[in-house]
């Protein structure tokens, strides 16, 4: 008899994004499915994790995953990213939790109009400048303020941790070619990107439609992640660099530190809340039933699944 496993999770049963585990990283493991859980097998044994409780799976070198596991991951809206060695690159994601295009359409509308796009970009910058009014600044002025702010942050963390700092330099294709602090920053930021990726995908938004960044398929990921680097990933990277030895696996150590910082789920809830604020989204719009309509140039939307032969 065919083993059909557990029934497909209904949309209304899926845990809220803010209630999920931040991310899990695996390498040199075989991933399969058992009922509604994902199993991970390596030379240390097998562990089982409910798929609907994971925000993002980071799969490193030497991982194999079955079709049944991917089916479950897609059904539960869990993001999955294949990453290179040290976990510093990402490639793919699963289906969104929301099966409605309503939020995506709103995002596209905001980013396609110069005035509304600028308004959202200003809100993003305003979140980083608590005591300043940026409501009348141009994008060029905002970039200048942001550049000065980031330089001050690097200088502050360098002094706090007694880590020499000569600038942000890295080669995405040569992780080991960077110095310790730049390797830690790259690994920390990538872990944060993965988490932000999962939230954005879970909400049904497009990772490629950014407001500050543009032209890249992860533009919105970079927009949102930049809101948290100063308080989260940059301090972690400098602390790791301050205590690192020549033999340390900086990528692994950094990834574990970021995971520990995210494990309580507070950052996930904050990302959801901030996206709602930036795009003026009502929190009740996050999860909707599956509704498919047909676009009409006069009535805007008409019912799907109805024969319209009489209009021929």
């Amino acid at each position: 008899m065919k083993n059909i496993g557990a029934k497909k999770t209904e949309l209304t049963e899926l845990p809220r994004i803010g209630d999920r585990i931040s991310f899990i990283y695996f390498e040199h493991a075989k991933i399969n499915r058992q009922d509604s859980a994902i199993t991970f097998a390596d030379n240390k044994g097998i562990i089982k994790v409910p798929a609907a409780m994971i925000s993002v799976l980071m799969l490193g070198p030497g991982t194999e995953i079955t079709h049944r596991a991917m089916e479950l991951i897609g059904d539960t809206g869990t993001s999955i990213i294949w990453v290179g060695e040290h976990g510093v690159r990402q490639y793919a994601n699963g289906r969104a939790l929301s099966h409605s295009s309503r939020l995506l359409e709103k995002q596209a509308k905001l980013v396609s109009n110069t005035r509304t796009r600028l308004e959202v970009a200003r809100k993003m910058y305003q979140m980083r400048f608590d005591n300043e009014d940026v409501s009348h600044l141009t994008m060029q002025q905002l970039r200048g303020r942001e550049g000065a702010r980031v330089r001050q942050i690097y200088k502050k963390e360098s002094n706090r941790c007694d880590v020499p700092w000569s600038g942000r330099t890295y080669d995405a294709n040569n992780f080991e070619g960077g110095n310790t602090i730049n390797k830690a920053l790259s690994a920390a930021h990538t872990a944060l990107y993965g988490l932000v990726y999962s939230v954005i995908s879970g909400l049904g938004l497009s990772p490629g439609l950014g407001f500050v960044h543009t032209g890249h398929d992860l533009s919105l990921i970079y927009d949102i992640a930049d809101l948290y680097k100063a308080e989260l990933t940059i301090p972690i990277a400098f602390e790791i660099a301050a205590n690192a030895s020549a033999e340390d696996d900086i990528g692994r150590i950094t990834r574990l530190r970021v995971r520990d910082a995210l494990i309580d789920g507070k950052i996930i809830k904050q990302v959801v809340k901030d996206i709602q604020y930036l795009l003026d989204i009502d929190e009740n719009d996050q999860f909707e039933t599956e509704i498919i309509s047909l676009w009409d140039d006069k009535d805007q939307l008409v019912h799907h699944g109805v024969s319209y032969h009489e209009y021929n």
Side-chain angles (χ1 to χ4, degrees):
M1 184 174 68
K2 182 180 179 181
N3 180 13
I4 61 174
K7 72 179 183 68
K8 178 179 176 180
T9 307
E10 298 297 330
L11 189 63
T12 55
E13 297 173 351
L14 294 173
R16 296 177 65 87
I17 292 176
D19 296 330
R20 293 186 169 210
I21 302 168
S22 54
F23 69 85
I24 297 178
Y25 173 86
F26 279 94
E27 61 182 30
H28 303 291
K30 293 185 178 181
I31 298 101
N32 207 331
R33 169 183 180 174
Q34 183 177 337
D35 297 327
S36 295
I38 298 297
T39 62
F40 303 89
D42 60 14
N43 56 7
K44 298 178 181 178
I46 300 176
I47 65 172
K48 185 166 67 171
V49 182
M53 292 305 299
I54 306 170
S55 290
V56 55
L57 284 177
M58 300 178 70
L59 304 184
T63 52
E64 298 177 12
I65 189 165
T66 67
H67 183 277
R68 294 190 72 242
M70 284 302 303
E71 179 185 26
L72 179 60
I73 288 169
D75 287 344
T76 56
T78 299
S79 289
I80 181 168
I81 57 176
W82 278 265
V83 293
E85 193 172 6
H86 308 290
V88 294
R89 305 193 72 176
Q90 60 189 64
Y91 304 107
N93 68 286
R95 186 180 184 184
L97 281 173
S98 173
H99 294 177
S100 167
S101 64
R102 187 174 172 189
L103 302 187
L104 176 59
E105 291 169 8
K106 184 168 189 177
Q107 176 193 10
K109 182 178 181 180
L110 289 172
V111 81
S112 299
N113 179 281
T114 301
R115 179 184 59 81
T116 56
R117 181 172 185 171
L118 180 57
E119 288 176 355
V120 175
R122 282 172 173 161
K123 289 167 74 174
M124 288 180 174
Y125 282 113
Q126 186 65 72
M127 293 170 68
R128 312 175 208 184
F129 299 96
D130 293 334
N131 301 317
E132 297 183 45
D133 180 11
V134 304
S135 60
H136 301 292
L137 298 183
T138 65
M139 287 301 297
Q140 183 177 11
Q141 291 170 326
L142 289 168
R143 286 193 296 269
R145 295 280 186 92
E146 174 65 0
R149 183 186 78 102
V150 172
R151 283 194 297 273
Q152 291 174 358
I153 292 169
Y154 283 137
K155 182 179 179 180
K156 174 186 174 183
E157 293 300 320
S158 174
N159 292 334
R160 179 177 72 89
C161 298
D162 194 24
V163 173
W165 175 253
S166 58
R168 182 77 172 108
T169 57
Y170 64 97
D171 182 351
N173 297 314
N174 183 20
F175 179 77
E176 292 297 340
N179 59 20
T180 300
I181 179 57
N182 274 288
K183 287 195 290 186
L185 285 167
S186 294
H189 292 341
T190 299
L192 178 61
Y193 294 152
L195 182 64
V196 173
Y197 199 136
S198 72
V199 175
I200 286 174
S201 297
L203 292 173
L205 298 170
S206 169
L209 295 182
F211 294 86
V212 175
H213 295 84
T214 190
H216 194 280
D217 64 340
L218 300 178
S219 292
L220 186 63
I221 309 298
Y222 299 145
D223 280 359
I224 301 301
D226 278 353
L227 301 175
Y228 315 107
K229 290 179 179 178
E231 292 76 28
L232 182 64
T233 51
I234 293 176
I236 287 176
F238 273 91
E239 289 168 7
I240 288 172
N243 297 287
S245 66
E247 296 78 23
D248 284 341
D249 183 342
I250 298 301
R252 180 178 183 275
I253 294 172
T254 304
R255 189 170 56 249
L256 293 176
R257 279 288 305 276
V258 174
R259 181 202 63 187
D260 292 343
L262 302 177
I263 202 167
D264 61 6
K266 292 181 179 179
I267 185 65
I268 304 178
K269 295 179 181 179
Q270 188 62 50
V271 173
V272 174
K273 180 180 178 181
D274 289 342
I275 290 175
Q276 289 172 337
Y277 162 70
L278 290 168
L279 303 186
D280 193 24
I281 297 172
D282 189 297
E283 63 179 7
N284 294 322
D285 286 345
Q286 287 185 39
F287 303 107
E288 299 178 341
T289 56
E290 283 193 68
I291 299 176
I292 303 177
S293 300
L294 301 177
W295 179 80
D296 184 78
D297 59 341
K298 294 185 174 62
D299 297 327
Q300 293 186 333
L301 295 178
V302 296
H303 291 295
H304 166 263
V306 175
S307 176
Y308 292 99
H309 62 79
E310 64 268 25
Y311 294 104
N312 290 340

